[in-house]
Amino acid sequence: MDVKEDTIAILEQFDIGNKLSSLPVLPKASVLIPLMVKNGELHTMMTLRSKELRTSAGEVCYPGGKRDPSDRDDVDTALREAEEEIGLPSEDVQVVCRLVPIINKSGLLVTPVVGFIDESFRPCPNPAEVSAVFTVPLDFFTSDKDHYATHGVAGTMGMLHAFHFVDPDSGSQYHIWGLTAMFAILVAALALKKKPDFHVAFDPEDPISFFQQVLHRRTSKL
């Protein structure tokens, strides 16, 4: 199998499907984690949010946002937001899986939707929401070279991970941290079958059970 097919086969094993349908009703959001193969290696596409936004202004994020009443499910939300933010047509995304959702600092239940896009895709960012779009080699998120961690605030999942990334194409520097960094680490560990060089709270061999435990612990207090 090639890199893409191999990765899809790996990630499909971690699709949550409807396993968490019994969770309490929480405000929902989704992010799309776009993967692509460049020069035979996996990369992921990220955005820099506009400084004009009310929330998370100027932060690195994956395309995504809150569930709209017209959205059928988490996948619909992620695809709609990606089209609105970076001009990615939903039909150009090969959805692979939905991973375990995480409750963010605002109390939203955020579901990561992983999908493949073609390397030839050229984003058309909506300037009202996105100020830059860039790609990062996925194995960057398993390396300790540009990684650092601090103790997270109460209620978060252990250490707060962050990365300093310099885009070789533009020279721009990006600070990738928080939930976005955690999603990137998780997908990298799963897709590459690689234990990060730094300590993570989850077991890279079976990360999903850890996130499920955290989720049930958080929701049991609601």
Side-chain angles (χ1 to χ4, degrees):
M1 289 192 290
D2 63 16
V3 174
K4 179 180 175 180
E5 290 178 348
D6 193 28
T7 304
I8 290 173
I10 293 169
L11 291 176
E12 283 180 337
Q13 302 173 52
F14 299 98
D15 182 39
I16 61 163
N18 297 314
K19 295 175 186 175
L20 302 178
S21 57
S22 61
L23 283 175
V25 177
L26 289 168
K28 293 182 177 180
S30 298
V31 296
L32 179 68
I33 300 181
L35 299 181
M36 65 179 70
V37 179
K38 292 176 66 176
N39 301 319
E41 296 185 350
L42 290 171
H43 285 64
T44 185
M45 181 171 282
M46 295 178 152
T47 72
L48 184 69
R49 286 170 64 84
S50 166
K51 292 183 179 179
E52 307 304 317
L53 293 171
R54 287 178 296 177
T55 57
S56 303
E59 293 184 6
V60 171
C61 292
Y62 280 112
K66 293 180 182 178
R67 171 81 70 91
D68 190 273
S70 64
D71 295 335
R72 290 171 298 178
D73 53 25
D74 299 316
V75 173
D76 249 18
T77 302
L79 295 179
R80 176 182 54 76
E81 289 283 350
E83 186 156 13
E84 291 175 2
E85 292 181 18
I86 61 174
L88 175 62
S90 58
E91 60 269 22
D92 290 351
V93 182
Q94 182 178 355
V95 175
V96 177
C97 66
R98 288 170 291 169
L99 299 177
V100 175
I102 295 176
I103 300 175
N104 73 0
K105 58 188 177 184
S106 303
L108 288 170
L109 188 66
V110 184
T111 297
V113 176
V114 184
F116 265 95
I117 63 174
D118 197 270
E119 180 193 354
S120 63
F121 168 67
R122 295 293 176 263
C124 298
N126 176 353
E129 298 188 62
V130 175
S131 58
V133 182
F134 59 100
T135 60
V136 186
L138 199 58
D139 64 2
F140 176 82
F141 296 106
T142 63
S143 170
D144 199 31
K145 182 175 179 291
D146 295 293
H147 164 270
Y148 60 96
T150 57
H151 287 287
V153 297
T156 59
M157 297 171 297
M159 303 298 286
L160 188 68
H161 296 276
F163 298 86
H164 177 73
F165 177 70
V166 180
D167 186 352
D169 295 328
S170 66
S172 299
Q173 301 183 38
Y174 297 102
H175 177 61
I176 306 167
W177 68 287
L179 193 62
T180 301
M182 178 57 73
F183 282 148
I185 294 168
L186 174 61
V187 173
L190 294 178
L192 301 171
K193 289 187 173 181
K194 187 176 181 182
K195 182 179 179 180
D197 295 339
F198 45 86
H199 174 73
V200 289
F202 62 85
D203 177 3
E205 296 290 325
D206 180 26
I208 302 304
S209 60
F210 167 78
F211 288 101
Q212 285 179 319
Q213 290 170 12
V214 171
L215 189 59
H216 285 297
R217 191 161 61 241
R218 293 282 302 274
T219 55
S220 66
K221 299 175 182 178
L222 298 175

